[in-house]
Amino acid sequence: MSKKPVMVDPEIQALTEIWLTAIVSLIFCHQIAARIPSGAARLLSVLPVIYLFPPLPLRLSSIHLGGPTIFYLVWLGNFKLLLFSFNQGPLSATPPLALLRFISVGLLPIKTKQTPSPESSSDHKRPILLPLKCGLLAVIVALYKYREFLHPYLITALYCCHVYLGVELILSITALPARALLGVELEPQFDEPYLATSLQDFWGRRWNLMVTSILRPTVYHPVRRISTRILGRSSWALAPAILATFLVSGLMHEVIYYYMSRASPTWEVTGFFVLHGVCVAAEVALKKAVGGRWQLHRAVSGTLTVGFAVVTGAWLFFPQVTRNGIDTRAINEYSMIARFIAERVGHNLISTS
């Protein structure tokens, strides 16, 4: 009796083909481009890969499959390849990275620790916090069923928590196989941003540190060197570098929004990041002016920091998400995932009984 052919979901098939293409591209970079002298010549050799990555995620329609793929390939992956062209960044090392490590670092939101350190108290807390955050995200998703009865301010707060928990958990899940395969210690991807005591602390030391680690060498340091030559070693030289970094981050978020919505950008999310860039630059200048002579209590500064992020997020970050129905599609996908898991579990229970 012949078996029925296994039907593969088109989205999963597209995802598989995209990532196989990305892996082959990184093998090319490791085996061929790495042998070319750094600079313009190596940049020309990796340009086909840099041009290849942006159209790949256009084949995906799922928020939870497309979102990470866009982030990993179009943003992080291409920025890492640009640095690699000039013998900088995480893909350039002495001695050269092994192939598996090169591919993992190039395609995934991970950064290996240069000097592994003894486990700190925060490291011990992470295995405990991870299931708690998973449970909290599940509660938030369950509350969406009652959105029509919830106050808009509460929905905004739920969206803020959802973005934080969702991004951190996806990045953490992605890092698990890489950590197991490579057998190395990885840098944290988030550092409890709700404990931030300033915008500089929030964006520079706690929120999505994978983005921070790639924007520093690609945008912040080059612009700071240029502004220092022009303005000298003053606090004013920092402002252009900070503003340029936040501007690039805003533009890359516009790209991600376009992929997920296919709608023309309205530049609100760029405005969100530019506003925060201006505030961070002002905060840095103020800190240099007053030194350590005056400082708010961390309970006050922390509340103001998180509150400012939430309020400006409701004003500028989320409108493009809600206007284009990205939030509704993401919530519906959670329901589909839950049904799929329930059906699989039920099928397995029946087959084993």
Side-chain angles (χ1 to χ4, degrees):
M1 186 174 180
S2 61
K3 293 182 179 180
K4 291 183 178 180
V6 178
M7 300 299 293
V8 180
D9 185 278
E11 192 83 357
I12 300 299
Q13 182 175 347
L15 182 72
T16 304
E17 292 172 356
I18 288 168
W19 280 95
L20 285 176
T21 303
I23 290 170
V24 171
S25 300
L26 264 288
I27 293 173
F28 161 79
C29 293
H30 183 271
Q31 296 294 315
I32 298 176
R35 303 176 190 276
I36 299 173
S38 62
R42 187 183 293 179
L43 176 60
L44 285 173
S45 72
V46 302
L47 274 180
V49 177
I50 292 174
Y51 284 128
L52 175 66
F53 279 2
L56 288 178
L58 289 172
R59 298 177 58 191
L60 299 172
S61 58
S62 164
I63 299 297
H64 291 89
L65 297 180
T69 302
I70 299 160
F71 178 47
Y72 299 169
L73 299 185
V74 180
W75 187 349
L76 295 186
N78 272 344
F79 277 45
K80 290 174 185 177
L81 288 175
L82 286 172
L83 290 172
F84 170 69
S85 299
F86 299 95
N87 208 30
Q88 298 180 41
L91 296 178
S92 299
T94 305
L97 299 180
L99 178 59
L100 180 59
R101 188 164 174 176
F102 186 90
I103 294 171
S104 300
V105 172
L107 297 181
L108 300 176
I110 60 172
K111 182 181 179 184
T112 58
K113 283 190 176 181
Q114 300 301 318
T115 53
S117 57
E119 289 187 343
S120 64
S121 58
S122 61
D123 294 326
H124 289 298
K125 292 177 183 177
R126 291 186 191 280
I128 302 172
L129 287 174
L130 190 60
L132 290 176
K133 290 175 179 177
C134 289
L136 182 55
L137 181 59
V139 170
I140 290 172
V141 173
L143 286 174
Y144 288 145
K145 297 178 183 177
Y146 310 100
R147 272 189 302 171
E148 57 185 304
F149 306 109
L150 300 178
H151 194 280
Y153 291 165
L154 178 56
I155 294 175
T156 298
L158 291 176
Y159 279 7
C160 291
C161 294
H162 188 164
V163 168
Y164 160 54
L165 293 169
V167 174
E168 181 176 17
L169 291 173
I170 288 174
L171 266 61
S172 297
I173 292 169
T174 304
L176 288 176
R179 184 184 288 111
L181 286 171
L182 300 177
V184 296
E185 191 175 351
L186 301 179
E187 295 281 357
Q189 297 158 314
F190 280 78
D191 189 12
E192 317 308 337
Y194 49 83
L195 298 178
T197 56
S198 68
L199 288 175
Q200 184 184 19
D201 183 35
F202 181 89
W203 291 113
R205 305 184 189 97
R206 293 184 179 274
W207 181 268
N208 204 342
L209 299 177
M210 297 301 100
V211 167
T212 303
S213 68
I214 207 67
L215 285 177
R216 279 197 180 112
T218 53
V219 182
Y220 178 80
H221 291 316
V223 174
R224 183 175 177 179
R225 283 195 294 268
I226 295 170
S227 61
T228 299
R229 292 196 203 103
I230 298 172
L231 302 172
R233 293 186 175 277
S234 66
S235 58
W236 291 104
L238 295 177
I242 293 171
L243 292 175
T245 303
F246 276 88
L247 174 61
V248 171
S249 181
L251 293 174
M252 292 310 300
H253 278 82
E254 293 283 1
V255 170
I256 293 173
Y257 278 15
Y258 172 77
Y259 275 88
M260 292 194 293
S261 68
R262 304 293 200 271
S264 299
T266 56
W267 310 111
E268 288 155 297
V269 72
T270 301
F272 170 82
F273 282 97
V274 170
L275 172 62
H276 277 255
V278 171
C279 292
V280 170
E283 182 183 279
V284 170
L286 181 62
K287 286 179 180 178
K288 286 184 175 293
V290 302
R293 296 189 300 273
W294 185 79
Q295 192 172 357
L296 290 173
H297 189 278
R298 63 181 299 115
V300 177
S301 61
T303 302
L304 290 174
T305 298
V306 176
F308 183 76
V310 171
V311 171
T312 54
W315 175 32
L316 294 169
F317 188 87
F318 289 113
Q320 285 174 254
V321 173
T322 56
R323 186 185 306 121
N324 296 309
I326 298 174
D327 57 333
T328 304
R329 286 167 53 203
I331 294 167
N332 291 338
E333 284 183 17
Y334 279 111
S335 301
M336 293 169 60
I337 294 169
R339 285 197 301 270
F340 175 80
I341 294 173
E343 289 173 1
R344 288 293 178 182
V345 171
H347 175 75
N348 291 337
L349 287 174
I350 292 171
S351 61
T352 55
S353 60

